[in-house]
Amino acid sequence: MMDKNELTKREQAKRAKRQLILKSAMDCFIEQGIAQTGIRDIADHAKISLGNLYNHFRRKDELIAEIARIEAQAIAPLISELQTVPAKSADLKPFIDAYLRQISSPAYAILSVEILAAAIRQPKLAEPFEANRKAMIKALVQNTQATTADLEMLLDAIEALGMRCGLEQRKPRRAEKSALYKLAETLT
């Protein structure tokens, strides 16, 4: 019979292995593209057996769904922050700045492009990412006078700038951020 410490160690090892596989999958997706990456490529990158990988993830789409879960965890503090501001009085500058910081890295931009391309071929892959976006829009709607359509447009603009900055490997320029602030003020 196992004691709690042994079970905890086993759980920790299992979580660590899942994290290794996810990191390897993201690295492969970024380096080779999702369509060009096979499960064997991910196992090789993680330096584990194919069977070991299959113990954690049976298909590539399960890995992509897990990436969406990680994204949900990353945006949760942004949503939480929006929810603590009194309703209909949100200054969106802190949100815009924080979200841009999250999404403007080169790795994030490349992975986003890869996921978008894969989702065009397999629309189901987009569903968990769309749920993340809807959660952000819902929090924004609760804190502004804006419509859902206006806030979707604002998120599109933020994400476009973040992706451009990531792909160009640069930080957003002051003028670009200023334009986003003005757009937010106009829409909200």
Side-chain angles (χ1 to χ4, degrees), residues 92-93 96-97 176-186:
L92 295 182
K93 287 179 186 177
I96 291 168
D97 291 341
E176 292 168 326
K177 287 169 64 171
S178 194
L180 281 177
Y181 300 154
K182 285 179 187 171
L183 177 62
E185 286 175 24
T186 302

Side-chain angles (χ1 to χ4, degrees), residues 59-76:
R59 298 179 312 276
K60 244 191 315 191
D61 59 340
E62 289 179 6
L63 286 157
I64 295 169
E66 189 68 13
I67 292 168
R69 189 187 65 71
I70 292 167
E71 179 188 70
Q73 290 175 333
I75 64 172

